[in-house]
Amino acid sequence: MSNVSVKVLLFATFRKKYGSKELTIECDGTLKGLIESASRILGGEFYSDVYNSERGMVRDDLIFTVNGRNIKDLKGDIELKDGDVVAIFPPLAGGINSSKLIEV
Amino acid sequence: MLGGYMGRILKVDLTAGTLKSELISEDIAKKYLGGKGYAVYILYNYLKEYESKGISPSDINPLGPENVLIFATGPGTGVPGFPCSGRYHVMALRSPLTGSIGSANSGGEWGPFLKFSGYDMIVVEGASEDPVYLSIVNGVAELRSAGDLWGKNVFDTCRILSRRVGGKNTSVACIGPAGENLVRMACIVNDEHRAAGRTGLGAVMGSKKLKAIVVSGDEKVPVANPDEFREVSRRCLETMRKNRVTGEGLPTYGTSILINVINTAGGLPYKNWQTGVNPYADKISGETLAETYLTGRRACWGCTIGCGRVTSVPSGPFQIIGTEGPEYESIWALGGSTGVKDLDAIVKANHYCDEFGMDPISLGSTIAAAMELYERGYIPKEDLQGLDLRFGNSAALVEAVWRTAYRVGFGKYLALGSKKLCEIYGHPELSMSVKGLEMPAYDPRAMKGIGLEYATANRGGCHVTGYTVSAEILGIPEKIDPLTPDGKAKWAKLFQDFTCVVNSTVNCLFSTFALGVKDYADLLSAVTGWSLSDGEILRIGERIYNLERVIINRLGFDGKDDTLPRRLLEEPMPEGPAKGHVVELDKMKEEYYKLRGWVNGVPTADKLKELEIEL
């Protein structure tokens, strides 16, 4: 997989914590690779804030979008392209891993 | 005494100037709870009585003495430990904005304090010749002259009446100049900054010359099974504390954190819904508000979330010190929809909405519609009388707010709401409303379920009749794809039925980010002493939604009105993640009607029988 350049937008508490709203990241095109590359700039804690190493996936309690589409709604492996925009919201509004808050 | 209820309804006849106390019926409470549900039941019976006297529902003038206004709490309201139970619901037979049923909900302290004054509900009929206010203090209710209050703004009215009555648990719900002037989107404001905002109920109060209702008292709400309730309450409050939304997100950022979330999803309507992507969203976001004008937060009675924002604009042309808000919806309506990107102007415009008593959603959307009409050349410049209503003009926005409240100049047209305004200028398609009620801040081309919800909401274009955004965008209780219409009917129905339970309990919808149907069943069972299962309370919610639907059917609304503005059905979203999408409403509606047991937006006799609704 060749390297791609992706714009990463941070929101809410992540902005204050990492002192950045927007950064451009070069990575291998995978989500894991993107988060690893961003962690080299923002610090190791970013990795654990965003990635669940045990499950090998982006943390379930974030809103994590690629070009506005939540990755939970995208089918198959996600391959980032040059110029893609990734938005990351901390776990403040959703995805709390409780599937039956409302008993359907 | 019935657990959760004070046991009494105050009936006020403003024409005769009489007051009467009636008992809460346990049979009706078991079928409709309280709040919205009990009020819908009462309104239906008024409609039946009018019909028996030969008065057709369509002849009821929303601003005439025959309209009925109900202030209602429920069995959860004012019970210490019942999560987020500081709210009350207001309903009217007809909204002066839409002609459909009037319905709105507010927080603050007024709801609990009404119960502490000794009553669960107030039913207001008739109209007074001179301005009056209603005072209820420890069970003693009186109508008094409001001659000295008429013309005063919301803040003055709240403060004067609070001081006059005194006491610890005292709260005032009132109208400002907008309600007095029968502005169609006038609201009822309590505790200075909390509003029963939608469907123009402030104008109904104004038409009845009822300036305010002040409540005060020290009575306690009885709880049927205190030990059981303590345990359920502890469990639910702990769940809310640990929940990311109710325990962290809403307390830290308030509702305006959604500006960037919804804009990222391509569903933040911009410039009267011409697109769902606002290039300046971050300038008016919750994050920016927190960095600039936010000075504190405020919670409603009994609330552990505290989403309310306290703000100040310290200097500049839009200076305002010590106000509250704006919330997500008001930032969007006064800012995003109008293309205004100056947050200080939005804070000021929102302050005026509270001061004069107007719904910022309907007002902002109406101003946005006027801006599009003007920019397209449909409103002659001379009609605006100097108001430069171009998208993005902050000064014109703030000017338009007070002009509307006082119906000055072009304000007299804005005061009619977007539907009437766009009809007057020959382009009804530019009113972004459903059943005459302006839609809130979610473009359904980017989240299809909320489109079905807007179309089928009984009170009109409304998100809090059934907040499918919770599942489509926030992933609560589970994540569903916003861009597909598939499966949305089930969610819209579920959210609508459950919301009826919440609004009849009456407490805050935000609790449902953490608490589910089972939690509500347990809380209500412990408070009332009835044994309610989750299935049973959803059935109560469905019953309420269907009886409300019967009322709007009688008022002339059916399947033809369960629709969306043409822009959302035919104009593809021009950009963003939902680019190319329109709302596939017919497909979702067919599935929804089937699930509801409705034909063309009308409940069948079998469905009503199944829900034990006797007409």
Side-chain angles (χ1 to χ4, degrees):
Chain A
M1 207 175 266
S2 59
N3 271 9
V4 296
S5 176
V6 175
K7 188 197 278 187
V8 176
L9 304 176
L10 301 179
F11 295 95
T13 48
F14 281 171
R15 285 188 176 177
K16 212 169 219 177
K17 185 168 182 181
Y18 297 106
S20 181
K21 274 187 189 181
E22 179 182 329
L23 56 163
T24 303
I25 302 288
E26 298 274 333
C27 70
D28 64 0
T30 66
L31 292 182
K32 186 170 187 282
L34 172 78
I35 296 162
E36 281 171 351
S37 299
S39 302
R40 279 182 218 116
I41 299 168
L42 300 173
E45 208 175 331
F46 183 77
Y47 188 81
S48 55
D49 271 349
V50 177
Y51 200 75
N52 184 333
S53 301
E54 279 175 28
R55 298 177 65 187
M57 57 189 281
V58 171
R59 274 179 57 165
D60 194 42
D61 54 2
L62 305 174
I63 294 179
F64 191 113
T65 69
V66 178
N67 299 326
R69 295 282 285 147
N70 193 311
I71 56 170
K72 290 175 186 167
D73 298 322
L74 299 173
K75 307 273 182 293
D77 288 337
I78 294 163
E79 199 175 308
L80 296 167
K81 299 182 301 296
D82 250 342
D84 278 353
V85 178
V86 167
I88 309 173
F89 295 83
L92 49 86
I96 46 180
N97 200 22
S98 175
S99 62
K100 287 288 171 188
L101 288 175
I102 294 175
E103 307 288 339
V104 180
Chain B
M1 191 182 267
L2 195 55
Y5 297 84
M6 308 312 287
R8 291 192 293 168
I9 300 172
L10 181 68
K11 289 191 89 171
V12 182
D13 182 338
L14 287 170
T15 304
T18 55
L19 303 168
K20 195 168 74 177
S21 176
E22 289 186 357
L23 296 179
I24 286 274
S25 154
E26 183 168 358
D27 289 344
I28 299 168
K30 276 185 168 167
K31 284 182 79 172
Y32 293 95
L33 293 175
K36 175 178 176 168
Y38 209 116
V40 162
Y41 177 83
I42 293 172
L43 289 177
Y44 177 70
N45 281 282
Y46 268 98
L47 209 56
K48 240 174 37 175
E49 192 188 318
Y50 284 153
E51 282 173 330
S52 73
K53 290 176 180 168
I55 301 167
S56 161
S58 57
D59 289 339
I60 295 168
N61 176 0
L63 297 174
E66 63 270 32
N67 202 0
V68 180
L69 187 65
I70 302 178
F71 297 78
T73 66
T77 312
V79 177
F82 203 115
C84 306
S85 58
R87 300 190 74 87
Y88 67 101
H89 206 87
V90 191
M91 297 204 78
L93 253 184
R94 293 195 88 180
S95 152
L97 181 66
T98 69
S100 182
I101 199 162
S103 179
N105 194 288
S106 180
E109 298 176 321
W110 195 89
F113 292 177
L114 170 64
K115 284 180 87 168
F116 301 165
S117 81
Y119 289 94
D120 295 293
M121 295 177 211
I122 305 167
V123 179
V124 183
E125 55 180 50
S128 175
E129 278 191 19
D130 300 310
V132 292
Y133 73 90
L134 174 66
S135 164
I136 312 174
V137 180
N138 279 321
V140 179
E142 294 171 276
L143 282 171
R144 293 180 176 170
S145 168
D148 60 329
L149 298 170
W150 204 252
K152 294 205 181 306
N153 72 10
V154 162
F155 308 141
D156 282 341
T157 307
C158 286
R159 288 169 200 183
I160 291 168
L161 283 181
S162 287
R163 272 201 299 271
R164 196 174 288 171
V165 169
K168 189 170 58 142
N169 299 325
T170 303
S171 175
V172 177
C174 68
I175 55 170
E180 294 176 11
N181 295 329
L182 309 182
V183 171
R184 299 304 192 264
M185 71 281 284
C187 59
I188 300 167
V189 188
N190 56 282
D191 307 305
E192 299 192 17
H193 292 282
R194 301 290 168 161
R198 308 231 64 199
T199 67
L201 299 178
V204 178
M205 263 181 93
S207 72
K208 295 183 177 305
K209 292 275 196 309
L210 179 63
K211 176 68 179 174
I213 304 177
V214 55
V215 294
S216 182
D218 303 310
E219 291 191 33
K220 300 266 184 291
V221 185
V223 172
N225 298 320
D227 292 339
E228 182 188 333
F229 178 70
R230 211 170 293 122
E231 201 167 305
V232 179
S233 166
R234 193 180 299 129
R235 184 190 85 207
C236 290
L237 291 173
E238 182 66 3
T239 303
M240 289 188 63
R241 193 182 62 76
K242 286 182 178 164
N243 181 278
R244 296 286 193 182
V245 182
T246 54
E248 197 179 328
L250 283 170
T252 307
Y253 287 103
T255 54
S256 56
I257 193 63
L258 281 174
I259 291 279
N260 276 325
V261 175
I262 302 300
N263 195 52
T264 298
L268 188 68
Y270 184 56
K271 294 188 174 176
N272 202 34
W273 303 66
Q274 294 183 69
T275 173
V277 179
N278 181 342
Y280 303 105
D282 201 40
K283 283 173 72 75
I284 59 172
S285 65
E287 287 91 334
T288 302
L289 186 73
E291 287 167 11
T292 52
Y293 307 125
L294 184 69
T295 57
R297 65 188 180 106
R298 184 179 170 197
C300 297
W301 186 94
C303 177
T304 53
I305 300 174
C307 69
R309 306 290 94 179
V310 180
T311 49
S312 280
V313 177
S315 59
F318 305 116
Q319 182 190 50
I320 190 76
I321 308 296
T323 186
E324 288 191 31
E327 304 299 324
Y328 167 68
E329 292 294 342
S330 37
I331 290 179
W332 162 75
L334 299 167
S337 189
T338 62
V340 166
K341 55 181 186 291
D342 300 317
L343 194 50
D344 52 354
I346 297 168
V347 173
K348 183 70 174 269
N350 184 67
H351 176 85
Y352 278 159
C353 284
D354 288 353
E355 180 173 353
F356 303 137
M358 284 183 292
D359 168 18
I361 299 179
S362 284
L363 178 62
S365 292
T366 303
I367 293 171
M371 287 171 162
E372 186 168 359
L373 286 165
Y374 177 50
E375 288 201 351
R376 290 185 186 275
Y378 303 143
I379 298 180
K381 198 172 182 179
E382 56 270 23
D383 281 17
L384 297 179
Q385 298 185 20
L387 202 59
D388 188 17
L389 279 180
R390 281 173 299 147
F391 281 117
N393 187 342
S394 302
L397 165 75
V398 175
E399 181 84 3
V401 176
W402 77 260
R403 281 179 181 266
T404 304
Y406 288 97
R407 304 183 85 135
V408 173
F410 191 70
K412 65 179 173 287
Y413 295 115
L414 295 171
L416 300 173
S418 69
K419 184 167 184 277
K420 286 274 184 329
L421 174 84
C422 292
E423 282 170 3
I424 287 168
Y425 285 100
H427 288 274
E429 75 282 3
L430 295 183
S431 166
M432 300 309 290
S433 62
V434 175
K435 300 184 182 77
L437 185 67
E438 289 76 13
M439 296 178 295
Y442 308 91
D443 192 318
R445 288 172 292 187
M447 47 203 95
K448 307 295 172 73
I450 200 68
L452 175 63
E453 209 291 299
Y454 290 159
T456 58
N458 287 332
R459 76 172 177 178
C462 163
H463 61 307
V464 284
T465 295
Y467 192 62
T468 60
V469 176
S470 181
E472 295 187 289
I473 301 296
L474 305 180
I476 300 173
E478 63 186 69
K479 185 74 183 72
I480 56 174
D481 189 341
L483 292 183
T484 174
D486 297 338
K488 298 296 168 74
K490 176 192 82 175
W491 284 101
K493 177 183 180 298
L494 176 70
F495 276 106
Q496 289 171 345
D497 290 347
F498 187 30
T499 302
C500 277
V501 174
V502 177
N503 286 339
S504 304
T505 293
V506 177
N507 66 339
C508 181
L509 260 188
F510 288 169
S511 66
T512 62
F513 285 127
L515 306 179
V517 179
K518 176 74 167 61
D519 297 307
Y520 264 78
D522 291 347
L523 285 162
L524 285 167
S525 296
V527 168
T528 60
W530 309 326
S531 182
L532 294 165
S533 68
D534 43 359
E536 279 164 333
I537 67 166
L538 275 182
R539 188 172 140 80
I540 290 172
E542 186 177 7
R543 180 182 297 129
I544 294 165
Y545 206 71
N546 275 267
L547 185 57
E548 188 183 34
R549 173 58 61 149
V550 168
I551 294 175
I552 76 161
N553 291 155
R554 299 272 172 95
L555 292 172
F557 293 83
D558 59 23
K560 72 181 180 313
D561 305 292
D562 287 342
T563 189
L564 293 169
R566 201 167 72 196
R567 173 162 284 168
L568 305 180
L569 299 173
E570 294 177 9
E571 286 181 27
M573 180 68 87
E575 59 187 318
K579 186 176 178 178
H581 280 262
V582 292
V583 185
E584 300 91 334
L585 183 62
D586 287 344
K587 175 183 158 59
M588 292 190 289
K589 215 165 79 170
E590 190 185 336
E591 195 184 338
Y592 173 87
Y593 283 169
K594 207 170 160 190
L595 279 172
R596 277 263 176 238
W598 295 358
V599 175
N600 190 31
V602 179
T604 59
D606 285 348
K607 173 50 74 174
L608 296 177
K609 193 175 167 195
E610 178 199 319
L611 292 170
E612 296 173 90
I613 295 172
E614 291 151 20
L615 298 183

